[in-house]
Amino acid sequence: MFKHIATSLLFSLAALAQDIVYTPIHNATTIYGTWSSGSGGVKTGPGFANPADRTFTYPNTTGISYSFTEDGFYEIARYRYTSNGSHPLCITGVMNWCHGTYQLMPNGSIIMSPFGDGFQQIQDACAAVSKFIETYNDTEYYTAWTIFQDPVLGYQLILDQYDGTPLAQQNLVTTSPDMLPTQNLFNVTKTASSDLAVSAGTRTLEWSFSSIAGLTTAVVAAGMASFAL
Ligand SMILES: *[C@@H]1O[C@H](CO)[C@@H](O)[C@H](O)[C@H]1NC(C)=O
Ligand SMILES: *[C@@H]1O[C@H](CO)[C@@H](O)[C@H](O)[C@H]1NC(C)=O
Ligand SMILES: *[C@@H]1O[C@H](CO)[C@@H](O)[C@H](O)[C@H]1NC(C)=O
Ligand SMILES: *[C@@H]1O[C@H](CO)[C@@H](O)[C@H](O)[C@H]1NC(C)=O
Ligand SMILES: *[C@@H]1O[C@H](CO)[C@@H](O)[C@H](O)[C@H]1NC(C)=O
Ligand SMILES: *[C@@H]1O[C@H](CO)[C@@H](O)[C@H](O)[C@H]1NC(C)=O
């Protein structure tokens, strides 16, 4: 009998390693809707990016926002600053927007495949060209996602990046996703005549907020208006 229990235990552990079972521990509510970190200054949908002419509206605070529809579409809006350790005045600001289709994998990971009209704006206080726009078309892989209910903040989404480091936790802003139309929105005609410096190159950006994850949580918990990067 003991052997039988041990075997079934082993079997269930093996099953656990392969397939995520969606329970309230894994997701206290559905992932569908719009999520935003900190004070919610950064949000997907109209008001952040205009992919037709590749422009951004700068929010008042930095942060990240993710939206998911029930039928497999996602959108991401991100704004962050990084300071330069050796040159404290050389602050880099990055605005990033993209959308596409996502898949919730059986092992609990998420794969997000972009439509190809994603873009980002880099502002480098010390670069020769202080402001430029470039294509952003990276497929993003998240190893895990968790939704828990905070007694004060409500539902919180945590996405773990490819290397396992969690992104800043995000509040559920709306249960219906707030998104731009779910198709390629890049207007080639218009952008060709634009005076923005467009670079075809892509650069690797790590959207890692891990180093300040604890701080972010503390700031959010304290009810402060923004989270500083
Ligand atoms: C998450 O949890 C809810 C409630 O337990 C469930 O109805 C839903 O299907 C789950 N899955 C996703 C992808 O949100
Ligand atoms: C930024 O804050 C100002 C003053 O509170 C407000 O008028 C403006 O709409 C805000 N901008 C955004 C993009 O939220
Ligand atoms: C989870 O599944 C994805 C897609 O099949 C795969 O690429 C990834 O390696 C898997 N992750 C683990 C930890 O097994
Ligand atoms: C963007 O990436 C997707 C997925 O890798 C690819 O199918 C598509 O061709 C890319 N689009 C552009 C414009 O590079
Ligand atoms: C810091 O700024 C200097 C001057 O612009 C630059 O050469 C250096 O690459 C920057 N360092 C980082 C880590 O961005
Ligand atoms: C693209 O931009 C051009 C020039 O501004 C405009 O005439 C055209 O209607 C736009 N097309 C779309 C699909 O937005």
Side-chain angles (χ1 to χ4, degrees):
M1 189 185 131
F2 182 76
K3 191 179 167 218
H4 177 73
I5 291 171
T7 311
S8 58
L9 189 69
L10 269 182
F11 180 78
S12 57
L13 282 177
L16 206 68
Q18 277 166 15
D19 289 345
I20 283 287
V21 178
Y22 293 111
T23 66
I25 290 170
H26 182 255
N27 68 316
T29 188
T30 60
I31 197 170
Y32 318 125
T34 294
W35 303 84
S36 176
S37 68
S39 60
V42 174
K43 271 203 295 281
T44 59
F48 183 81
N50 182 359
D53 62 5
R54 292 193 152 185
T55 55
F56 284 109
T57 304
Y58 275 72
N60 288 326
T61 54
T62 54
I64 56 175
S65 176
Y66 285 68
S67 269
F68 301 94
T69 68
E70 275 186 58
D71 58 350
F73 295 103
Y74 77 94
E75 184 174 317
I76 307 174
R78 294 179 276 217
Y79 178 32
R80 71 150 191 209
Y81 275 121
T82 33
S83 59
N84 181 322
S86 47
H87 298 78
L89 296 179
C90 296
I91 293 165
T92 307
V94 184
M95 290 281 281
N96 172 284
W97 177 90
C98 57
H99 67 169
T101 56
Y102 74 95
Q103 281 174 283
L104 300 178
M105 307 309 287
N107 66 8
S109 61
I110 310 183
I111 295 172
M112 302 186 197
S113 311
F115 287 135
D117 55 348
F119 64 108
Q120 61 190 15
Q121 183 163 32
I122 317 283
Q123 284 189 297
D124 186 338
C126 300
V129 180
S130 66
K131 199 171 174 180
F132 67 97
I133 295 273
E134 64 187 5
T135 297
Y136 177 85
N137 192 36
D138 288 7
T139 297
E140 299 188 24
Y141 170 66
Y142 296 84
T143 54
W145 56 282
T146 309
I147 297 167
F148 66 94
Q149 191 166 18
D150 181 283
V152 176
L153 301 169
Y155 291 118
Q156 302 289 304
L157 170 67
I158 295 184
L159 293 167
D160 290 347
Q161 299 174 94
Y162 68 94
D163 62 356
T165 52
L167 290 177
Q169 71 188 50
Q170 299 175 63
N171 303 293
L172 182 59
V173 179
T174 52
T175 51
S176 54
D178 198 7
M179 293 184 171
L180 296 181
T182 53
Q183 64 189 59
N184 192 316
L185 301 170
F186 183 40
N187 188 338
V188 179
T189 319
K190 199 166 179 177
T191 304
S193 63
S194 148
D195 59 359
L196 290 165
V198 176
S199 144
T202 52
R203 66 170 65 179
T204 307
L205 277 166
E206 300 213 3
W207 292 98
S208 174
F209 292 76
S210 59
S211 57
I212 52 108
L215 174 67
T216 306
T217 310
V219 170
V220 171
M224 288 167 68
S226 66
F227 80 90
L229 293 185

